[in-house]
Amino acid sequence: MPETIQAIRGMNDVLPADSGPWQLLERVARETFAEYGYREIRLPILERTDLFKRSIGEMTDIVEKEMYTFEDRGGESVTLRPEATAGIVRAAIANGLLHNQRQKIWCSGPMFRYERPQKGRYRQFHQVDAEALGFPGPDVDAELIMMSARIWRRLGLEGLTLNLNSLGTPESRRGYRETLVAYFRGHAPTLDEDSRRRLDGNPLRILDSKNPAMREVIAGAPLITDHLDPESASHFAGLRSRLDAAGIGYVVNPRLVRGLDYYSRTVFEWVTMDLGSQDAVCSGGRYDGLVAQLGGDSVPAIGWALGEERIVELLRLQGLAGDETVADVYLVLGGAAAEAAGMQVAEQLRDALPGVRIETNCGGGSFKSQLKRADRSGAYCAVILGEEEFSRGVAGLKPLRDEQGQAEVAIADLATELSRRVVGRARG
Ligand code: ATP
Ligand code: MG
């Protein structure tokens, strides 16, 4: 017996029985984006390694230790994308999408990070991503956040909290950075190894530390919100007043700095109490310097990404995972003539009833076993085409979810009768 082959650690199969909430999330996101005028962009999963080094930053967790980087057969260093923004900016520059134009776009798909796999943290995971390029904000900042809030509302998700902060501009951050470094140097003995290393390269990232031993020293650190330049402060106020007007609650969290180097001004994160320590379900921020940093014009931009695995888990926990049935109508076929005609009858029903899920029994079996399959399919109705009925041009219509008895219906009237019984009930 050959050995079975295992999947790679941290990379999950989404099985047919589990794909419902994924489809629900992706459908709701797609519809919401369309309602706001955001168009889809589809990009390669593999990019040159330099793209991520230059955008995400050398001193970040992602670039330091999480990238799937390898040499291809031509000796070029390539990396499986750990996030979407860098690729979007590369594509926007390369295709001239920002020449006298602005872009509102979204994309979705797998991302790859070599992290320690645990609940809510995987090596291949999926994001839905929204970006607005060419808009200085804060109107578009508010719009992007409203769009995410609408997705939660549409899904029926509860218990999400929006954390909000402003990082100012790179210039104003420089002043804050010095204050921060001075503070942490004064507390050097309490810093863990990671933080000591970051003190020179990326001191703001210390605020992002998840080490409980660091909590106290971080709580005492000076706040970035006290060091904003006037324009960033008014940008932040403009965003807050728009969110207030839209009735979107938020918590200003001056310690929210986000893991990537390229953010400026607005940063935010939607968090939940329901998922343990993997509590961020959607994060984003403004990256006004990135397009220029990657060789494009100086174009302001902002975006967010939601983690599909974490949202899907929340949908499950909150009983919102949706319909798990596969059929609305199940065709039970008895005898050679009915079997031969059954597929045709099903095709005609599908023509007449678009959107209604019709499963035809394949592979024969007794009436009893076919009816069992019909029941398991979740169908509301079984259509029974037996030898004798078929010869008379009729079918049995057997309700499977209520107490009504079986009825006899002319095959020619099946569509009308089914539409009366099933349409409207199907998929809630
Ligand atoms: P975290 O703090 O949980 O590591 P992050 O700041 O690294 O998150 P982002 O890079 O902002 O996350 O990605 C956006 C979203 O993608 C996160 O809010 C989260 O929901 C999801 N996400 C990030 N990394 C993973 C992962 N390894 N597995 C599953 N989901 C992830
Ligand atoms: Mg991370």
Side-chain angles (χ1 to χ4, degrees), residues 178-188 199 216-222:
E178 277 165 28
T179 319
L180 193 65
V181 170
Y183 168 81
F184 281 129
R185 285 210 198 289
H187 293 78
L199 203 48
E216 205 173 316
V217 64
I218 289 172

Side-chain angles (χ1 to χ4, degrees), residues 188-198 206 209-211 213-214 217:
T190 59
L191 299 187
D192 64 9
E193 203 190 306
D194 260 356
S195 304
R196 241 170 273 152
R197 206 164 38 84
R198 290 198 168 119
I206 300 176
S209 165
K210 303 223 158 84
N211 181 356
M214 292 284 299
V217 64

Side-chain angles (χ1 to χ4, degrees), residues 165-181 203-204 222-236 263-266 288:
N165 194 20
S166 174
L167 300 180
T169 61
E171 296 74 46
S172 72
R173 209 147 65 218
R174 223 164 280 144
Y176 171 65
R177 196 183 141 122
E178 277 165 28
T179 319
L180 193 65
V181 170
L204 263 73
L223 300 180
I224 194 160
T225 11
D226 295 334
H227 292 256
L228 291 186
D229 57 291
E231 267 184 60
S232 295
S234 90
H235 186 114
F236 196 37
Y263 287 114
S264 54
R265 292 197 172 145
T266 308
D288 289 343

Side-chain angles (χ1 to χ4, degrees), residues 94-406:
N95 294 286
L97 300 188
L98 301 173
H99 284 154
N100 304 318
Q101 299 176 65
R102 307 185 294 182
Q103 299 289 338
K104 291 184 173 179
I105 46 190
W106 68 273
C107 75
S108 70
M111 307 292 157
F112 302 83
R113 297 184 195 176
Y114 197 83
E115 305 203 61
R116 193 170 66 78
Q118 52 196 291
K119 196 163 177 49
R121 194 173 290 290
Y122 309 103
R123 289 183 173 173
Q124 173 171 333
F125 62 102
H126 298 77
Q127 288 184 338
V128 173
D129 192 274
E131 317 273 343
L133 300 109
F135 301 86
D139 47 4
V140 89
D141 306 30
E143 176 179 271
L144 274 161
I145 291 174
M146 286 178 209
M147 200 159 66
S148 61
R150 185 173 296 276
I151 292 175
W152 317 143
R153 260 199 323 276
R154 190 77 65 81
L155 290 169
L157 283 176
E158 283 173 6
L160 294 177
T161 305
L162 175 62
N163 277 302
L164 201 61
N165 194 20
S166 174
L167 300 180
T169 61
E171 296 74 46
S172 72
R173 209 147 65 218
R174 223 164 280 144
Y176 171 65
R177 196 183 141 122
E178 277 165 28
T179 319
L180 193 65
V181 170
Y183 168 81
F184 281 129
R185 285 210 198 289
H187 293 78
T190 59
L191 299 187
D192 64 9
E193 203 190 306
D194 260 356
S195 304
R196 241 170 273 152
R197 206 164 38 84
R198 290 198 168 119
L199 203 48
D200 293 317
N202 196 347
L204 263 73
R205 292 281 284 113
I206 300 176
L207 301 174
D208 216 14
S209 165
K210 303 223 158 84
N211 181 356
M214 292 284 299
R215 209 166 285 156
E216 205 173 316
V217 64
I218 289 172
L223 300 180
I224 194 160
T225 11
D226 295 334
H227 292 256
L228 291 186
D229 57 291
E231 267 184 60
S232 295
S234 90
H235 186 114
F236 196 37
L239 169 60
R240 291 196 318 257
S241 69
R242 283 170 175 86
L243 293 178
D244 292 339
I248 294 176
Y250 55 86
V251 177
V252 174
N253 175 358
R255 284 179 191 85
L256 178 67
V257 293
R258 310 272 309 112
L260 317 182
D261 270 1
Y262 53 55
Y263 287 114
S264 54
R265 292 197 172 145
T266 308
V267 288
F268 57 92
E269 201 159 79
W270 286 96
V271 296
T272 169
M273 304 274 272
D274 299 346
L275 296 179
S277 53
Q278 267 47 264
D279 62 350
V281 296
C282 174
S283 349
R286 179 162 280 284
Y287 50 94
D288 289 343
L290 183 61
V291 181
Q293 192 179 313
L294 290 177
D297 300 334
S298 175
V299 169
I302 177 168
W304 56 246
L306 66 78
E308 292 198 61
E309 278 78 1
R310 294 183 193 177
I311 297 287
V312 163
E313 182 59 18
L314 271 188
L315 287 170
R316 248 183 227 124
L317 288 172
Q318 299 187 9
L320 303 166
D323 185 5
E324 282 169 19
T325 64
V326 297
D328 301 313
V329 176
Y330 192 100
L331 256 67
V332 171
L333 309 174
E339 262 180 41
M343 288 279 166
Q344 259 333 96
V345 173
E347 286 296 278
Q348 283 156 11
L349 290 177
R350 290 189 187 100
D351 287 341
L353 304 169
V356 176
R357 302 166 304 164
I358 297 165
E359 183 172 352
T360 316
N361 187 77
C362 289
S366 67
F367 268 123
K368 199 172 158 210
S369 64
Q370 292 193 41
L371 278 170
K372 252 193 205 151
R373 289 178 202 148
D375 189 51
R376 271 201 307 264
S377 76
Y380 295 106
C381 249
V383 169
I384 302 171
L385 272 182
E387 198 89 57
E388 189 271 331
E389 288 103 330
F390 187 69
S391 68
R392 289 193 287 121
V394 298
L397 221 156
K398 185 177 165 60
L400 298 171
R401 310 291 151 199
D402 55 37
E403 297 305 308
Q404 285 178 52
Q406 185 170 329

